[in-house]
Amino acid sequence: MEMVPFLLRWAFAALLALTGAAAWSQTMSINVRIAYEGSETIVDFSQANWRTEVTQIRLLSCSETDECTPVAGSMPAVPADGRLRLPRLFGLHRVEFVGAPMAWKPAAFEVLWLQYLAPPTMAHAELATLANRHAPVLSFHVAEGYFPITVERLFAQPVTNFTGWAVGPADVQNLGGSITIGTAGTAAQFMAANGYHDLRFYLRPDAVASTNAPLGTTVPAYWLSQIRDTAANEADHRAWITYFYLFAYDEKLYSGPTGAGGNHTVDRESVTVEFHKQAGQWQPRFVIYAGHLPDQPTTFKGCDEPLACNAEGSQSVLWNGGRLAVPWDRASRWGEAPIAYVAHGSHAMKPARGYYFLDVLGPINATEPAGSSLPGRYRRSQVQPLDLSSAHQALVFSGLLIDGAVNVNSRVFPFVRYPIADWLEPGAGGRPALDRTAFNECLGPGGACNPLVVRTPTIEVVPVPLRAGQVNDIIVRGTGLDFGTLKVTGNCVDPPIIVRDSQFPAERATIRCQPSAAAVQAGRLALSVRAYLNTNDATGVSLHGDTPIELSIASIGPEPLRAGELTSWSIGALLEQATQVVWHVAQAIGTFVAQVVNGVSQSVQLVLRETGWVSVGAEFRGAAGQTLGRQDFEVQVGQGPTVNAVTPAEAVAGQTVEFSVVGARLPAGLSFMLDDCTGVVEVTNAGSAFDRRFRCTFAGSVTAGDKAGGIGPVGSNGSPFTSALAAFAVRVGAAPAPTGFIEEFAPPLNLQRWTIDGQIPFGANIVGPVVIDTDGLAQFGAWGRISTFGKVVFSGRKIVIEARMAGTGGGRDTSFILAEPGNIDNLIMSGDTNYCGWGMYIQSRGVYRMSGPNGTCGADIPVPHTGGSTPAFMEYRWTIDGDRFTAERGPTLQNITQSVSATLGRSVAGRSFFLSIGTASQAYSPGTFDWIRVTTTEGTAAR
């Protein structure tokens, strides 16, 4: 109710005392009855004791601010039978009965009776559906003691529960004799016959307790409406629905200087929804909250803490006037119902929960809380249209029912805030314009007021495919999931339940359901989710409209799904006409089209490539290939096997090669395919989850060139999964003639065999000088090396390298290297060096790395060595037999004086190598080779 400054109360009481109370008698007076017959409004004053004094009747059209103007051409004649017949009225009017001036009576007192008239049916039938759909939800403060009551409860009680006075501008003595309240009958009967515009008719304070009602499962509300749709442009068409509530008592419980001043019996409050027309339909655009005086500044202060809200917060949203409009898309709503937060005691309607500062009068101010965070304090409105012709006839009473301010604001509906458009007019009656922006930012995205409003939970069901025969966790994402109660229904074996996430209860939840036999047979599960404000909310709000949520029931395995593994897919067709299911899975490999037999698709096999949540679509097609529908869902895919490399990248015809498949999470049993390489077997005793080994043989007749290969998942031998995990190629050289490799250097260097490439094959762009002199010696300067890379490769179970060489400088490191062309990290090396006093040494890296402690001088690998370094020419023999490596030397090969041996990390059988010889850096050069030869056993040296 509009707040009355408490300092005015004593003045008003004095005024009433001066005018005097109407006389009490057994008989209730009858002055003017309003009746509606057909298309006419009947104003019956036939029983009024002033009937014979009427000399003229005036009809005026009035605005919501009580500004009335005569209706053009309307000066009804005084009917002889005392029954004034008017055409059906629209809008607010006033009828005035005027008597003849008397010599002793000033002209100002010639009016005998004034009464406002309103349309009998103020609720447009075309808006009835919208009125029910958008009926407000009210949120009451936890300590609120007075709640909305019905018209019948308020006015069907004995008339003696009310008291009344009549005050100017009419003749007080005349009216005092005309209006008698009496002691029999109901207040409604009295009001229907005595609607004088200035009559005070107040509920007695001692009758409040019996009039009040406890908070029920719903709250009663009444609605009236107005439509303006005559503009040429549809976008300018407007409609308004006002919902009003009646209370037995307005209990001012302000904090601040005002205190409890201004309490009064009977209160009425309202919320209005404004609609704009779009494409022929009315759409809600604003919620208008009404509270207190029409020109009173109000500041929203929020809450110190969003849930408890025991004190005002730091928000500061100011607007002027007792009405505030909030855009529909930002207003607090439950489903399609706006939520109004009811101020504690005063019942003013507010847009958010929290504290409101009221600038009452000058230095006088007050603060009041509104609404609650508890779902049990929210109630839906049980609405009915305002109809003055029957059920609500007591409300034809246009006098003052609220013992408040001496002005129009002490009436009740329909004689306040009507016509609605007038009440909302900018600055109507000199009051501040309707504020339509104050709360926009505060309730917008990220706004500070959002924690202080409630909005209907929203849900998005993550459509994971459901499995038959087990309880499925159906993931729900959304907002506001922690408010009120969520209930799920569906065709599950046991009633489905919804569990809120303990860490993010407002945003995440899980529905648990095992599809019933009927659901499995149908291939789909139908679920309905409704949100209820509280245990008294019998209706709830569907969180997905009128169509239930449908989820497919699919058979997908094995569990859990992992990328790179073979999976089997089938699904129940959601349409009886479907003959095919086409699977849509991004970057997957497999057969995507399945035939539908007996309503279920046949299985298809797929290998998924992506990880995480992967979008899957099952498209259902008819016999003509037309799309009938589609079921989209997501599956969670974990990390599966990945292949990083397959080595070696080169091989020679006529040899058996062992290939290494390097990666992560590699299971035994992968599919290995390589063109022209037969007899593929997995070397099971040498594999791990990071390195799987396969062996196959290239026949000697195989044509040289690149051979395509692929790695597929377990169980996927052949198309289309040949290369599902990796595709690779191996360059195969022709089978060599069965002779060894001999190089006795003579100028110029044989470039059919050798390349002067320094460190390039090993990843460094460093090439030192190499000279073949006339004596047939290969002279190597700093970083000088030559190799057979890309020209000659060596392979075999046993490889023997013999050479005559020397390091001729003060620092020496003259050596040979055997390295795999496809992976230069896999190498075997030996030579002579005075580095760290090693002398003749051997070492290996990559898969050939020897076991044992690292070498001296900071070496990161073992370096077995023997003897000391010598600048003299020596003849060397290096023998690699499987995984055994032996280095020998002496003045001649027939006179071996030193040797050193070690076991390699793996056998050289089935592997291919190129040969590199030369020196190291400037500090360990120059070096000289006289000759070198290579022989292989069960292998080849091939160009």
Side-chain angles (χ1 to χ4, degrees):
M1 173 59 207
E2 287 74 8
M3 184 172 62
V4 183
F6 78 103
L7 69 168
L8 297 180
R9 301 288 296 139
W10 68 269
F12 184 41
L15 174 63
L16 297 181
L18 290 173
T19 59
W24 287 93
S25 67
Q26 183 70 25
T27 304
M28 179 187 299
S29 63
I30 299 176
N31 280 286
V32 175
R33 290 183 180 275
I34 309 298
Y36 303 99
E37 299 178 0
S39 61
E40 291 183 321
T41 298
I42 310 300
V43 183
D44 186 347
F45 63 101
S46 62
Q47 298 184 58
N49 61 9
W50 43 263
R51 169 189 168 188
T52 58
E53 300 180 42
V54 178
T55 60
Q56 61 176 298
I57 300 173
R58 295 189 296 225
L59 182 65
L60 298 90
S61 176
C62 301
S63 69
E64 186 270 338
T65 56
D66 206 17
E67 298 173 354
C68 301
T69 57
V71 176
S74 176
M75 185 68 74
V78 179
D81 61 356
R83 288 170 56 86
L84 175 65
R85 289 171 168 80
L86 299 172
R88 182 61 63 94
L89 300 174
F90 297 94
L92 196 61
H93 290 75
R94 189 171 73 199
V95 62
E96 299 179 351
F97 295 90
V98 181
M102 297 181 179
W104 55 269
K105 182 186 295 184
F109 291 90
E110 65 183 4
V111 177
L112 302 172
W113 190 268
L114 299 177
Q115 184 162 348
Y116 288 100
L117 303 174
T121 302
M122 306 184 71
H124 296 78
E126 69 176 279
L127 299 179
T129 299
L130 293 176
N132 283 279
R133 180 183 303 160
H134 302 297
V137 168
L138 301 189
S139 172
F140 295 96
H141 190 270
V142 67
E144 180 60 57
Y146 297 95
F147 303 101
I149 57 177
T150 62
V151 170
E152 291 78 9
R153 187 176 184 88
L154 181 57
F155 299 122
Q157 57 185 308
V159 72
T160 53
N161 283 355
F162 287 74
T163 186
W165 295 267
V167 298
D171 182 354
V172 174
Q173 291 183 347
N174 185 19
L175 283 177
S178 300
I179 302 176
T180 304
I181 295 178
T183 59
T186 65
Q189 291 171 331
F190 173 79
M191 293 165 65
N194 297 280
Y196 181 67
H197 86 299
D198 256 345
L199 175 63
R200 268 68 168 161
F201 189 63
Y202 301 140
L203 179 68
R204 301 168 67 93
D206 57 5
V208 167
S210 60
T211 306
N212 189 35
L215 183 59
T217 57
T218 59
V219 292
Y222 303 89
W223 67 275
L224 59 155
S225 58
Q226 185 179 357
I227 296 176
R228 282 187 177 178
D229 59 355
T230 58
N233 188 353
E234 181 188 76
D236 296 326
H237 293 185
R238 300 288 183 269
W240 297 269
I241 297 176
T242 291
Y243 303 86
F244 72 88
Y245 304 83
L246 298 172
F247 298 81
Y249 194 64
D250 184 307
E251 182 184 28
K252 295 296 191 295
L253 297 170
Y254 307 129
S255 60
T258 303
N263 294 359
H264 55 78
T265 62
V266 180
D267 190 17
R268 47 93 177 132
E269 301 295 341
S270 66
V271 178
T272 299
V273 178
E274 179 177 301
F275 299 84
H276 296 186
K277 185 163 277 190
Q278 180 178 349
Q281 301 294 321
W282 292 113
Q283 303 293 337
R285 288 293 181 266
F286 288 93
V287 182
I288 301 158
Y289 301 87
H292 299 306
L293 301 177
D295 57 353
Q296 186 171 72
T298 303
T299 303
F300 177 58
K301 303 298 292 183
C303 291
D304 59 339
E305 194 278 322
L307 289 179
C309 199
N310 294 317
E312 63 185 57
S314 59
Q315 286 90 348
S316 182
V317 182
L318 169 67
W319 67 93
N320 290 316
R323 61 217 202 290
L324 172 72
V326 177
W328 179 261
D329 60 350
R330 297 193 175 185
S332 180
R333 300 195 312 276
W334 188 263
E336 296 188 88
I339 298 176
Y341 298 85
V342 182
H344 183 202
S346 75
H347 309 132
M349 300 294 173
K350 306 295 187 181
R353 178 169 52 87
Y355 285 78
Y356 291 80
F357 175 82
L358 310 173
D359 188 350
V360 179
L361 183 65
I364 302 173
N365 54 64
T367 301
E368 61 180 351
S372 171
S373 64
L374 300 177
R377 303 297 285 183
Y378 287 73
R379 290 296 186 273
R380 293 183 179 276
S381 296
Q382 184 67 41
V383 299
Q384 56 180 301
L386 178 62
D387 188 351
L388 301 181
S389 64
S390 56
H392 313 133
Q393 197 167 17
L395 294 183
V396 301
F397 180 82
S398 67
L400 307 176
L401 287 166
I402 297 174
D403 190 6
V406 188
N407 54 41
V408 69
N409 289 330
S410 295
R411 294 181 172 85
V412 301
F413 295 95
F415 303 111
V416 292
R417 300 174 188 163
Y418 191 85
I420 304 171
D422 292 351
W423 176 58
L424 299 177
E425 285 292 335
R431 62 187 167 217
L434 172 64
D435 195 320
R436 293 179 180 266
T437 61
F439 254 69
N440 283 13
E441 181 177 353
C442 201
L443 287 176
C449 297
N450 284 316
L452 301 175
V453 300
V454 168
R455 294 190 174 93
T456 313
T458 63
I459 64 168
E460 174 192 358
V461 174
V462 180
V464 295
L466 306 184
R467 272 63 161 183
Q470 69 181 60
V471 175
N472 293 266
D473 283 352
I474 304 167
I475 306 302
V476 174
R477 302 168 180 160
T479 60
L481 299 178
D482 58 340
F483 187 85
T485 302
L486 298 179
K487 295 182 180 180
V488 186
T489 57
N491 47 348
C492 308
V493 172
D494 296 314
I497 61 173
I498 187 164
V499 181
R500 293 184 174 97
D501 187 284
S502 59
Q503 187 174 5
F504 302 100
E507 302 169 8
R508 302 176 189 171
T510 301
I511 298 173
R512 291 179 177 161
C513 166
Q514 178 177 337
S516 66
V520 174
Q521 184 177 4
R524 60 184 173 180
L525 174 70
L527 293 174
S528 294
V529 183
R530 300 186 72 84
Y532 296 82
L533 280 165
N534 47 56
T535 56
N536 295 311
D537 184 1
T539 306
V541 175
S542 172
L543 300 188
H544 44 78
D546 298 329
T547 304
I549 301 166
E550 288 195 346
L551 301 174
S552 64
I553 300 176
S555 175
I556 303 173
E559 291 282 0
L561 293 176
R562 293 189 179 94
E565 293 183 350
L566 194 64
T567 58
S568 178
W569 298 63
S570 66
I571 191 170
L574 297 183
L575 299 170
E576 293 181 359
Q577 310 95 311
T579 61
Q580 283 184 336
V581 172
V582 180
W583 293 93
H584 298 270
V585 187
Q587 297 188 28
I589 299 172
T591 302
F592 295 89
V593 180
Q595 302 303 312
V596 175
V597 178
N598 296 326
V600 178
S601 69
Q602 294 180 324
S603 294
V604 298
Q605 289 187 315
L606 302 174
V607 173
L608 305 176
R609 305 294 295 274
E610 294 184 334
T611 59
W613 285 103
V614 176
S615 297
V616 176
E619 177 190 356
F620 302 103
R621 292 184 180 177
Q626 76 277 23
T627 298
L628 302 176
R630 177 172 168 142
Q631 180 72 30
D632 290 297
F633 51 86
E634 292 183 337
V635 294
Q636 191 168 24
V637 183
Q639 291 281 355
T642 58
V643 175
N644 299 327
V646 179
T647 59
E650 292 189 354
V652 177
Q655 71 176 30
T656 297
V657 184
E658 184 173 311
F659 290 93
S660 174
V661 179
V662 179
R665 298 171 296 277
L666 300 175
L670 293 176
S671 171
F672 182 95
M673 188 281 300
L674 181 58
D675 288 349
D676 293 336
C677 203
T678 60
V680 176
V681 295
E682 183 171 0
V683 184
T684 56
N685 62 350
S688 71
F690 304 98
D691 184 0
R692 294 293 173 184
R693 306 288 179 83
F694 296 87
R695 186 178 294 152
C696 60
T697 302
F698 290 104
S701 59
V702 167
T703 304
D706 290 340
K707 307 299 179 181
I711 308 298
V714 175
S716 63
N717 296 309
S719 178
F721 306 109
T722 301
S723 303
L725 291 179
F728 64 95
V730 174
R731 176 160 293 183
V732 177
T739 58
F741 178 94
I742 301 174
E743 181 64 60
E744 295 180 348
F745 296 101
L749 180 66
N750 184 351
L751 297 181
Q752 297 297 312
R753 291 181 167 186
W754 302 98
T755 300
I756 301 174
D757 49 12
Q759 297 296 315
I760 291 176
F762 307 102
N765 191 20
I766 303 174
V767 180
V770 178
V771 176
I772 311 300
D773 64 18
T774 56
D775 294 328
L777 297 177
Q779 305 283 353
F780 298 85
W783 298 116
R785 299 193 75 86
I786 61 176
S787 81
T788 66
F789 184 87
K791 295 181 178 179
V792 181
V793 294
F794 305 88
S795 63
R797 185 189 62 80
K798 182 177 181 180
I799 302 174
V800 179
I801 303 173
E802 296 171 324
R804 183 173 183 269
M805 69 177 192
T808 57
R812 295 179 291 280
D813 192 347
T814 307
S815 64
F816 88 95
I817 299 173
L818 280 180
E820 293 184 359
N823 189 342
I824 59 174
D825 290 329
N826 296 334
L827 61 82
I828 303 166
M829 180 178 181
S830 183
D832 174 84
T833 182
N834 60 0
Y835 174 78
C836 206
W838 285 348
M840 183 174 66
Y841 68 93
I842 58 176
Q843 60 174 272
S844 56
R845 293 183 178 274
V847 297
Y848 304 104
R849 187 184 191 276
M850 307 166 193
S851 60
N854 292 344
T856 56
C857 298
D860 61 349
I861 57 175
V863 186
H865 58 275
T866 186
S869 178
T870 176
F873 273 95
M874 300 285 282
E875 293 187 356
Y876 291 77
R877 177 183 294 122
W878 297 287
T879 303
I880 307 168
D881 191 355
D883 61 359
R884 191 67 179 167
F885 183 17
T886 301
E888 303 168 288
R889 73 177 176 182
T892 66
L893 293 177
Q894 290 74 34
N895 185 19
I896 297 297
T897 59
Q898 295 172 343
S899 68
V900 60
S901 298
T903 300
L904 301 175
R906 61 153 296 159
S907 171
V908 297
R911 315 294 279 195
S912 298
F913 304 88
F914 67 92
L915 175 64
S916 172
I917 62 175
T919 60
S921 65
Q922 188 171 6
Y924 298 94
S925 60
T928 303
F929 273 76
D930 186 8
W931 51 264
I932 187 169
R933 56 177 174 255
V934 183
T935 58
T936 62
T937 302
E938 298 179 10
T940 59
R943 280 182 193 160

